[in-house]
Amino acid sequence: DGEEISSDEQQVLEMGTSADFPPFESFNEDGEFVGFDIDLAHEIAEELGYELEISDMNFDGLIGALQSNRVDMVLAGMSATEERQENVDFSPAYHHSGEMFITQEDSDITSIEDIEGKTV
Ligand code: ARG
């Protein structure tokens, strides 16, 4: 925001999240933020030489918090939906999730075609 930072004062990087989504972000039993996004945010802050501060909020309020400059970035396991992409900039994806069908452990079914004639 253009404010001058004195050399002994570390700049703060404010992260918004909704810590109800393990293993990406949650609270441990000591009430500390933990999870993949928390680790990633610490890496980013360290790389930039910033001090990381984390604000926990409602997931639905995260984009608004970013748009109104209450946070600098959001890491919240948030998927880049088309609607969201119209309002904020997403980084390259750092996680892909895939839903899969499963079969019994020792079955010889390795593709959908294999299921034919083997249904219960
Ligand atoms: N990936 C889903 C989405 O973007 C769920 C994310 C939920 N994240 C959270 N911190 N509660 O809508």
Side-chain angles (χ1 to χ4, degrees):
D1 54 7
E3 249 174 70
E4 257 189 57
I5 309 288
S6 65
S7 55
D8 58 342
E9 199 185 313
Q10 223 184 351
Q11 280 179 279
V12 170
L13 186 63
E14 190 70 41
M15 163 190 176
T17 195
S18 174
D20 56 359
F21 195 54
F24 291 96
E25 44 270 328
S26 58
F27 290 107
N28 68 13
E29 52 202 18
D30 296 326
E32 300 158 334
F33 289 104
V34 290
F36 181 89
D37 286 339
I38 310 299
D39 292 346
L40 180 57
H42 277 292
E43 292 290 332
I44 292 168
E46 195 183 328
E47 177 96 17
L48 296 171
Y50 281 45
E51 185 189 323
L52 183 70
E53 272 181 17
I54 305 175
S55 298
D56 181 46
M57 59 190 81
N58 223 296
F59 185 79
D60 293 334
L62 286 167
I63 287 183
L66 188 59
Q67 289 176 318
S68 58
N69 286 320
R70 277 175 288 141
V71 297
D72 297 304
M73 62 179 187
V74 167
L75 282 84
M78 192 180 287
S79 312
T81 63
E82 264 177 46
E83 193 192 340
R84 289 170 183 161
Q85 287 187 64
E86 281 168 19
N87 297 302
V88 289
D89 283 343
F90 281 86
S91 73
Y94 56 81
H95 173 79
H96 294 274
S97 75
E99 287 71 33
M100 310 192 181
F101 75 92
I102 60 169
T103 54
Q104 281 197 26
E105 191 168 29
D106 296 323
S107 82
D108 48 10
I109 294 168
T110 58
S111 74
I112 294 192
E113 286 76 28
D114 294 338
I115 291 178
E116 219 186 309
K118 293 188 185 128
T119 56
V120 290

